[in-house]
Amino acid sequence: MNKRTRFILILAVLALCFVFLWPSLKWYALTPKENQALALSSLENIKDYSSVKAADEVEAYKAKVKADANAPLEADQDWLLKIVKKNYKTMGTKAPETIGLLDAMRSFSSEDELRSAVETHYRERILADKNTYKNSVKLGLDLSGGMNVIVKADLDSVVAAKDENNKIDDVTLRENAMAQAIETLSGRIDRFGLSSPTIRQQGDDRIYIEIPGSAEADQINSIIQGRGILNFRLVDDDANSAFQSYYESNRASTFDSQGRLINSSLIPEDCEVLGYYETDDYGLDQRKGYLVVKKEIVLDGKHIKSAEVGSEGITGRPQVSFTLDPEGTLIFGDFTAANVNKNLAIVSDNRVKSNATIREAIRGGQIAITGFGLQEANNLEKVLQTAWLDVPLEVESQQVLGATLGQKAIRQGLMAIAIGLAAIMLFMLIWYKGAGINACVVQVLNLYIMFSVLSAFNFTITLASIAGMILTIGMAVDANVIIFERIKEELRLGKDRASAVSTGFANAFWAILDSNITTLIAAVFMSNLGSGAIQGFAYSLTIGVVSTVFTSLFVSRLIFDVGTEAMHKKRLSIGWGIKQ
């Protein structure tokens, strides 16, 4: 590979690494702490915050205009100015030369439209920060503090409780039960405001939950062991209409910060207000509004025997069909006969998932629900298909790590890296003189590439990962030592700078490659066979091995070549007792 190609390759790698590292830099260095806290909260909390902020801001706009009809737009409202100009263009009206706050408000057809635009602004800003966090390097529990929990699902009891008429085989039944348990836990933990949880299946019947930040053990246990049985409830149309009218005029003062109704007298005592959710294109439940439903459960999900997604015969729209057991058929038939033209809500884990109108008495035990997209239909099928499942969940192990210990661990880890790097750089500068600068540059770029790759793959940094980085620093300088000593041997033979560098790298190439390949093999086995801290160490070491080979053989060589050809240096400062 010639020097120009090597230079272009190195520039391309460093530029790509900056792209990888940018989300981490943006999150940890450029995102304010208060914005981080918002971004790490649950989606429901973000929606509540955006909605309240939008309502408050619109009221502030109205107050400003009332005090001064010529009130200008603030400097930080460029986003609103763009929307206003687009609104005037849509209306076919020329926008004023100087757009004030009153002009901006008049460009919206209603106050609701203005409030929606403001809410969208807040939501997109917070979700952008949330997306930045998702693409950045994460701190493990041992650094950020928090809790990890392993939950065991008793799938044997699920299989034992299967109805003899149920045609689902045992393997599929176990898979569905685990998927439903994970989905239910994810919804609960997110709704309780526990930030950025990691929830994944571990083995056949265990669920691993990782919750960064401070968390109460008792609260987590109550969330995990609670059961979100699907059920059917009647919508109170009169109470719902009255509530919706009140909510439209009092959005900011209807619910408290925990989502509880502030004035309970707004609805009858036998009713409650639940969020109505629809699934978006990303498969996430998004609250679209609220419904007032009866507390009394009409039909419990345990009466559902099976469910499947199909399509409506005339329109071809997605349709979810499910079959009830004999007892459920009788209950549902009598209820629907007595409540024709009323609305029936399907509730799962205190969320309304569907709101269907009863058109006629349904006595055959075969029920079809329409009115949603394919993705939502598939999600609803999963809910209904396993609604009768009562998966016993048991907390098998639980570890809590305080955030104070995490901060201490971060400081100690960074201190270890800094001291190790400084000591090695000092040694290289003293022992190898001018060539030591080459080694220092390579060490810095090596860490830069490592952090970039960690960021690119959204890896989690733990104490074990930091240990892998510190080991990589030692390995990287070892490669430099091999190269420098080979070059010194060539210089002692009387060769000039260019020849000594070329031959030294050629002789050192296989020695460096062999030693790093053996380390890489060990790291690969650790990453595949190990778990937890061992995997974190192995991943960090694997990335370090690859970056060490690249920086030692490519970057270091280019630095020597620049000194030889671009700076026309004849002599090489590479240690004591070397005469040229």
Side-chain angles (χ1 to χ4, degrees), residues 12-75:
V13 169
L14 295 181
L16 185 62
C17 285
F18 180 79
V19 174
F20 291 157
L21 194 58
W22 173 244
S24 297
L25 292 174
K26 186 178 179 183
W27 175 258
Y28 290 105
L30 302 178
T31 305
K33 292 295 183 182
E34 57 271 20
N35 289 5
Q36 289 184 4
L38 280 172
L40 290 176
S41 62
S42 66
L43 291 175
E44 188 163 329
N45 285 347
I46 291 173
K47 186 174 182 65
D48 290 339
Y49 173 85
S50 301
S51 178
V52 171
K53 287 290 291 184
D56 290 345
E57 195 152 319
V58 169
E59 291 301 319
Y61 291 167
K62 292 161 65 177
K64 283 184 179 180
V65 170
K66 186 176 181 180
D68 180 9
N70 297 317
L73 288 173
E74 301 293 336

Side-chain angles (χ1 to χ4, degrees), residues 302-324:
K302 67 182 181 181
H303 294 294
I304 296 175
K305 292 199 304 182
S306 62
E308 61 180 9
V309 173
S311 57
E312 196 178 12
I314 300 176
T315 64
R317 293 181 301 176
Q319 174 178 280
V320 178
S321 303
F322 56 93
T323 305
L324 300 176

Side-chain angles (χ1 to χ4, degrees), residues 91-393:
M91 293 186 297
T93 305
K94 184 179 179 181
E97 291 289 336
T98 302
I99 299 177
L101 185 56
L102 180 60
D103 299 317
M105 295 177 67
R106 285 174 174 171
S107 71
F108 293 92
S109 59
S110 65
E111 186 176 314
D112 283 343
E113 186 182 353
L114 173 59
R115 189 185 301 111
S116 176
V118 177
E119 182 178 345
T120 300
H121 166 68
Y122 280 105
R123 181 179 67 250
E124 289 179 349
R125 190 190 70 185
I126 298 171
L127 291 182
D129 288 338
K130 198 177 192 73
N131 187 59
T132 299
Y133 172 73
K134 288 180 180 179
N135 295 320
S136 67
V137 170
K138 311 294 188 302
L139 298 180
L141 293 185
D142 50 0
L143 299 180
S144 64
M147 174 186 296
N148 65 11
V149 184
I150 295 178
V151 179
K152 185 179 186 301
D154 188 357
L155 300 182
D156 292 335
S157 66
V158 172
V159 174
K162 184 177 70 169
D163 188 278
E164 59 182 9
N165 296 321
N166 196 313
K167 298 180 180 180
I168 302 178
D169 61 88
D170 290 352
V171 175
T172 304
L173 181 61
R174 287 173 175 269
E175 292 175 354
N176 288 347
M178 283 299 292
Q180 179 65 14
I182 292 172
E183 182 180 344
T184 301
L185 285 176
S186 299
R188 289 179 189 157
I189 291 174
D190 182 71
R191 199 171 71 254
F192 272 79
L194 303 173
S195 60
S196 301
T198 297
I199 304 174
R200 63 175 181 267
Q201 185 170 337
Q202 190 176 72
D204 294 329
D205 59 355
R206 284 168 174 78
I207 302 170
Y208 177 80
I209 305 173
E210 204 173 78
I211 305 171
S214 58
E216 295 293 335
D218 292 340
Q219 182 191 22
I220 300 300
N221 289 336
S222 65
I223 293 171
I224 291 172
Q225 294 178 351
R227 292 171 180 172
I229 303 297
L230 181 138
N231 54 69
F232 298 77
R233 303 195 206 177
L234 187 67
V235 177
D236 190 321
D237 293 325
D238 294 335
N240 187 58
S241 298
F243 172 79
Q244 298 298 343
S245 299
Y246 177 85
Y247 180 64
E248 286 299 318
S249 304
N250 302 273
R251 286 177 177 266
S253 59
T254 303
F255 298 97
D256 61 18
S257 59
Q258 301 299 317
R260 295 185 293 254
L261 194 63
I262 295 175
N263 184 3
S264 59
S265 64
L266 291 173
I267 59 174
E269 290 186 2
D270 63 340
C271 295
E272 63 179 322
V273 179
L274 297 180
Y276 177 66
Y277 290 80
E278 292 181 0
T279 306
D280 63 14
D281 294 335
Y282 299 94
L284 296 174
D285 280 348
Q286 297 290 340
R287 191 179 65 221
K288 297 299 181 181
Y290 295 93
L291 280 177
V292 178
V293 300
K294 296 289 187 180
K295 292 180 180 179
E296 180 186 1
I297 294 175
V298 174
L299 184 71
D300 198 283
K302 67 182 181 181
H303 294 294
I304 296 175
K305 292 199 304 182
S306 62
E308 61 180 9
V309 173
S311 57
E312 196 178 12
I314 300 176
T315 64
R317 293 181 301 176
Q319 174 178 280
V320 178
S321 303
F322 56 93
T323 305
L324 300 176
D325 63 14
E327 182 182 355
T329 300
L330 181 62
I331 295 172
F332 199 71
D334 292 342
F335 174 79
T336 51
N339 293 278
V340 174
N341 293 326
K342 293 184 179 180
N343 285 352
L344 185 67
I346 299 178
V347 180
S348 176
D349 212 19
N350 285 328
R351 292 185 176 192
V352 177
K353 292 295 186 74
S354 181
N355 181 27
T357 301
I358 302 171
R359 299 299 181 189
E360 58 184 7
I362 304 173
R363 296 189 179 278
Q366 299 290 332
I367 304 171
I369 307 174
T370 59
F372 31 71
L374 181 60
Q375 180 64 47
E376 187 181 359
N378 289 328
N379 287 349
L380 189 59
E381 177 195 23
K382 293 176 184 177
V383 173
L384 293 174
Q385 198 171 49
T386 54
W388 59 275
L389 295 176
D390 185 8
V391 186
L393 300 177

